[in-house]
Amino acid sequence: MTRSLPRAVHPAAWWGWAVGLAVAVSAVTNPLLLLLALAVAALVVSARRGSSPWARAFRLYLWLGMAIIVVRVVLHVLVGLKYGTVRVLPLPEATLPSWAAGIQVGGDVYLEGLLGAATLGLRLAVIIACIGAANALANPKRLLRSLPTALHEVGAAVVVSVSVAPQLAESVQRVRRARDLRGETRKGIRAVPAIALPVLEDTLERSLLLAAAMDSRGYGRSGAAAPRERLVTGGVTLLGLLLSAVGLYGVLDASTPALMGTPALVVGLALALAGLWLGGRHVRTTTYRPDPWGGPEWLTVACGVVPAAVLTVVGRTTPDALAMPLEPLGVPALPLLAVVGLLVAALPAFLTPEPPRPPSRVPVRGAREMAGV
């Protein structure tokens, strides 16, 4: 079996894979499955991220997820609805007026409620980690180049916004290197005031430079369409997006009517694509050396769709397997079909081409002598 040559996988394929994984865990509160999905995302990122600045942003999303879990637990302790039978933290409860009925401030904290808050925070943290994985694997500038012409206005704004986190990570490293060269010894919390301001200044400057460069190259320019045609295009696109959202909600929720599921999703996607086609007719763009879309891209997207479909089926047949048993408290199940579906999402770490590596900076032996140094 021949080994694939190093090349970057299409950024849209990575976003399809990440969105599929996020959809798969969106209805899961089983901590075992959530941790497995997080491990899969971390494995793929560590195996297939490149050397670009945004490839190092995945760690920031992990820290953000940890902060979300902590905040979710703290809010449950302070103002959350307490439930359960195993008391772990006795706290006094404040008496509120009648107009604030339903709000509980303080009160005894029970183990069941604490675990429920932690698993809900973990689910949101894993979804954010999936988005962070896509941000670390996909080059946002190449993704903008691949977008339909009708989405260039939106895409330019999205690229500038999603590139803030990667540029923030690169700015932190630049400021740290500068501090090391100056002999700064303060570490940890004490170094935050000295690092925060230069990092923010550098990040804003780089974002403005990116926006100016994109504007000078024509990104975000709209074509010369008539007002009536613009109105029709916007209406068709908006209606398509609304129907797509309703259809996606119907697919994920088994209690909704049948017409709100797949039919609404299909019609909504068709209208959205028609709106994009109408909007892109008046925008003329050229692409130099377009990114290829081949077998690795189809494989990557399929590895994101499979866990979403499998966990949707498991949720409809055995919904208790995807939830954390709290009342009564028990050990979460580990459904084999859901585990296999999540493990399929890890295949791009082994079956897709490796990203191109940066050229080595080690000088060739004899180069210094040939240069007369």
Side-chain angles (χ1 to χ4, degrees), residues 222-248:
S222 58
R228 183 178 180 182
E229 192 171 356
R230 286 178 177 273
L231 184 62
V232 172
T233 302
V236 171
T237 306
L238 180 61
L239 181 60
L241 293 177
L242 289 176
L243 281 178
S244 300
V246 172
L248 187 59

Side-chain angles (χ1 to χ4, degrees), residues 81-366:
L81 180 62
K82 311 300 189 301
Y83 61 91
T85 57
V86 183
R87 190 173 66 175
V88 293
L89 183 61
L91 290 176
E93 181 177 354
T95 302
L96 299 179
S98 58
W99 55 266
I103 301 176
Q104 183 179 0
V105 179
D108 295 338
V109 179
Y110 298 93
L111 181 60
E112 292 87 344
L114 207 58
L115 289 176
T119 52
L120 289 177
L122 178 61
R123 180 175 64 181
L124 182 56
V126 174
I127 293 175
I128 290 178
C130 294
I131 303 303
N135 209 352
L137 293 170
N139 187 331
K141 300 173 185 176
R142 291 176 51 211
L143 180 63
L144 175 63
R145 193 173 57 184
S146 306
L147 285 176
T149 53
L151 293 180
H152 269 205
E153 296 181 23
V154 179
V158 171
V159 166
V160 173
S161 60
V162 300
S163 61
V164 170
Q167 289 175 2
L168 185 65
E170 186 181 11
S171 298
V172 170
Q173 294 181 354
R174 288 157 56 95
V175 172
R176 281 184 174 177
R177 284 197 297 268
R179 285 171 53 82
D180 293 339
L181 291 175
R182 290 197 300 266
E184 294 284 348
T185 57
R186 285 182 296 177
K187 303 291 184 183
I189 301 298
R190 295 182 303 168
V192 171
I195 294 178
L197 186 59
V199 167
L200 289 177
E201 183 179 359
D202 186 66
T203 303
L204 289 176
E205 287 182 354
R206 294 168 64 85
S207 297
L208 291 175
L209 288 176
L210 174 62
M214 294 173 67
D215 181 70
S216 65
R217 286 165 174 78
Y219 284 103
R221 292 179 185 172
S222 58
R228 183 178 180 182
E229 192 171 356
R230 286 178 177 273
L231 184 62
V232 172
T233 302
V236 171
T237 306
L238 180 61
L239 181 60
L241 293 177
L242 289 176
L243 281 178
S244 300
V246 172
L248 187 59
Y249 176 78
V251 169
L252 297 177
D253 189 0
S255 61
T256 55
L259 290 178
M260 290 183 61
T262 305
L265 181 61
V266 172
V267 174
L269 290 177
L271 288 177
L273 292 177
L276 294 179
W277 178 76
L278 290 174
R281 289 189 306 166
H282 300 281
V283 181
R284 297 288 182 265
T285 59
T286 58
T287 302
Y288 174 70
R289 194 180 297 173
D291 295 315
W293 184 283
E297 283 74 17
W298 288 114
L299 173 68
T300 303
V301 174
C303 291
V305 173
V306 167
V310 168
L311 266 72
T312 301
V313 172
V314 174
R316 289 179 178 270
T317 54
T318 55
D320 294 338
L322 301 183
M324 173 72 188
L326 297 174
E327 294 178 333
L329 188 63
V331 179
L334 194 60
L336 180 61
L337 185 59
V339 171
V340 172
L342 290 176
L343 290 180
V344 168
L347 292 180
F350 308 99
L351 300 182
T352 56
E354 295 183 0
R357 300 299 177 189
S360 175
R361 296 184 179 180
V362 178
V364 180
R365 180 178 296 178

